[in-house]
Amino acid sequence: MNNSPDSFSDTTPISPTRFQVNVVNEGYDNPACEGDKDPPQYEETSFAGEDNRLRMSYAAGNREMYNNILHNGDTIKTEGSFHPYDTHSHTYYLKTFGHNTMEAVPQIDYYRNTGSVSGVKKTRPSLADIHDQLSKNVAVTPGSVSNGDGVLGEEEPNKEEEKGGFVKFGWVKGVLVRCMLNIWGVMLFIRLSWIVGQAGIGLGIVVISLSVVVTTLTGLSMSAICTNGVVRGGGAYYLISRSLGPEFGGSIGLIFAFANAVAVAMYVVGFAETVVEILKDNNAIMVDEMNDIRIIGTITVILLLCISVAGMEWEAKAQVLLLIILLIAIVNFFIGTVIPTTEEKRARGFFNYQATIFAENFGPDFRNGEGFFSVFAIFFPAATGILAGANISGDLEDPQSAIPKGTMLAILITTITYLGVAICAASSVVRDATGNINDTITSALSCNGSAACSLGYDFSVCETEKCAYGLMNNFQVMSMVSGFGPLIIAGIFSATLSSALASLVSAPKVFQALCKDNIYRALYFFAKGHGKNNEPIRGYVLTFVIALAFILIAELNTIAPIISNFFLASYALINFSCFHASYAKSPGWRPAFKYYNMWVSLFGAMLCCGVMFVINWWAAVITYAIELFLYIYVTYKKPDVNWGSSTQALFYTNALNKAMELNTIEEHVKNFRPQCLVLTAGPMTRPALLDITHSFTKDIGLCICCEIFVGPRAKAVKEMNSGMVKKQLWLTTNKRKAFYAAVAADTIREGVRPLLQASGLGRMKPNTLVMGFKKDWRQASTVDLADYIGILHDAFDFEYGVVIVRLSQGFDISPILQAQDELQRLEQERLALEATIRENEFQDGKRGFRKFFNKTSKMNITTQSSKKDVSSSPPMHVGEYNQRLAETSELFKKKQGKGTIDVWWLFDDGGLTLLIPHILTLRKKWKDCKLRIFIGGKVNRIEDDKLMMASLLSKFRIKFADVYIVADINTKPSKESWKFFEEMIEPYRLHESSKDVPTAEKIRRENPWKITDSELEMFKEKSYRQVRLNELLQENSRSANLIVLSLPIARKGTVSDHLYMAWVEILSKNLPPVLLVRGNHKNVLTFYS
């Protein structure tokens, strides 16, 4: 295609991997569309511009024409004659791959969530826009900005982006630094020497390695989850909730935030204890040791709060400063190990690196009841802290890359540090030393074989007395060994304060994310953020209060194991999340991080659970109890969120697998259950029909509510698609265990037919059609009535059982729904008017509006205050008929009082007529109703027939109150009843016998649906029976709660539609609720075991 100079030509060839996206005119006057004979010359197009906006290159001379065109999907008119969109003349679109088309090329903006902070969500042209016939006055431009409702609208600016000034951290400052500071805790400086003294170098390495295995496996699982999509703020809570769902996420999120808040107190108290020790050594105690800890702890936590509230920038700067101090302290220790020792240090057990000391300290020497697991339990909390970076995921530039990289590198560096410090300390310091420089060995004394003896010191007194120095006795070994002791004190301060600061930041961030999701509605107050970084100020205050409370208690030894178990529970769920997501095999599980394995993650989860019991069994039990309680609470509340969790994916996978397994099992009569296709239309329009069906399908069988949209196809399909989710949601909200299915067709019958054939899945497919009685059959057109009867014929053809339900007032409550919608609309208008008036009064201060408001408030607009569903009773002014209809629509929702369900089992249909009422009596609402069985019989065999039926029912194990034999079914009905029947069918009779043959034939051709005299005569006995049965029903079952009656069958092509409807009408007229049932004549009951 050679574009004209006035169009989009570009003579410069480019890479064939590029493609052309040009704005063109769809009209025939567009020069770009003329002479398209040669292959197109593609223009270079870039989608990688700033703000993710579409950038185009234009031919020379054409740039000015497009200066006023926005290429992010919005278009505006230019000042010239050309514009990309004009509803009165032509429609303009993007030109993609050299063709005029509305179709859009792939862009990241089409895949964003509404409200994305990284870009504006745009909506691609819908399938209908591309597929349906083009409207001349409507144009959809690719790349239009979504307003969040799936429709095109104006671009909604991202409020958070407008604020500007975001502080975002990279992987070093945001993750690596925080994780290292949190892992390098006070344990490194105070307790590690004691641990290696107890366990020895060999088992000490095992203790550290085992802890690192737990954290490494958790880090791998976390890395996989982090790289499976964009990570928002919330850390461990966000990862677990988006993977396992709100139940797990909500339960662990709350205890994880609480654990971080209490951890602040633990670290601050550790800092305060160190300060008090220094004060004690210098005789500077203020009150007493306990109160000094409280005073110093309170001052410290207030200062830390100020740093946190000042913003993440200040907090990050403080963390970097603390890291520098910590690194200097660690390096100071390693330097000290190679500085030649002094006589004083040798007396305290430090001899520099000695092979004899290494050999002696290699094996364990557990004392005072300690063992491997107790030592491991003491050390393990030192290895935690790997979530410090993930907890501020919302403040990272690229969480997907930063969290795996920073966390795994932090684990590696800190592991090497712990191993190095442990080995160096155990290779240069003996387990016991007196500190007395005079305890040297002279030639006159014999050495006891210890390493100290070989180095000229006799510490044998420590075997009988407790010494003050050595790995086992002195917690300040690192200070002694280091080159400059005060730096170790500074390191302790840095370790405690950095961990406290990290926890003080983590707890509010996690808690804010939890509150934003509104899982615990009472906590939503804490979701609000402040400032350019959306800082959780309210969360900071709450964390401060919790931490201060525990600082003032100053008894953290008891709660410390519980806090450790809270963290471990989080680790366990992160590992399990990775396993679960992999096991669910969801196509959406595509982590960029490949170095994980689902079974290794499961092992990590089990290992975390085991470590919880190793650390403290009763703390583990408490943790599980709290988590279970919160899980049950969240499950009960059912938060309205959908995060596409792996739990949902696994539900689907399990359901699919079970459906496939079910498909391999042959059907057996013992397992038969009514599985119903219910013609309710919209389920809210015929609630009573759904309720009675739900009564015998709930928890045991399939129930599908069906609606057929009749009319022009485009309109019917659009209406059907728009209401699918809403109507299924109505079923779920109203606790109806049913599915919703809809079909667009030209007629009702044509819509029902595919539902009868294709509904269900495998063995889970309907076997019973439930429909309401067509109350208006006498006013209906012959076509509509033929459709209704045709549905029955189709159901029997496809071997369905059929249930027709009749209520005196009918089922359709659409008039009530329309009235309620109108009332709601009026109420909304009234509230909007009141709000406008209040706003005007507030702004203008004019009291004149007050009078108008008072008049408005007196408008005769009422609304229901009750929060019932749509089938609740409407206001009286809707009409007395509607009032009765509304009451009837709730008939089957109520508990049925003591009464009977009368079963008129006149014809053996396989047992469905008996099975349905039996199931009803098992339900809570119907349990007070007794079954009364009515069957036909002969006058001379009444007792025999009764015994036979009672025996059969007993073999079926169906409880019944009594059996009645109706011996006069075939007697003629009364003259009054028969006359009523004749008057009913009179308008539909042909009366051909009273006319001459040509006239009768002409009328028959014009009205083939009419009842002929020959047909009426042929089925006179059957007509008598229906009328007589109604008389018997009036006599015996008028007071029943429900009547279940055998449905008469009309032979196809033999019984006219109006005659059949007359039978059903007269059979069920003026009776309590009636279920006319006909099975498919296959056994649904058996007395065999």
Side-chain angles (χ1 to χ4, degrees), residues 424-485:
C424 290
S427 300
S428 58
V429 182
V430 296
R431 282 191 168 103
D432 298 291
T434 60
N436 189 347
I437 60 175
N438 296 320
D439 287 341
T440 56
I441 297 175
T442 63
S443 58
L445 297 175
S446 60
C447 183
N448 63 1
S450 67
C453 283
S454 65
L455 295 171
Y457 280 83
D458 180 15
F459 298 143
S460 58
V461 68
C462 295
E463 296 177 4
T464 56
E465 298 178 8
K466 182 173 178 59
C467 293
Y469 297 96
L471 296 176
M472 304 292 281
N473 309 305
N474 184 14
F475 290 156
Q476 302 298 327
V477 167
M478 284 193 71
S479 297
M480 178 189 69
V481 173
S482 64
F484 183 61

Side-chain angles (χ1 to χ4, degrees), residues 185-198:
V186 71
M187 186 74 67
L188 178 67
F189 297 99
I190 296 178
R191 300 303 290 273
L192 186 58
S193 58
W194 177 86
I195 288 169
V196 76
Q198 290 276 358

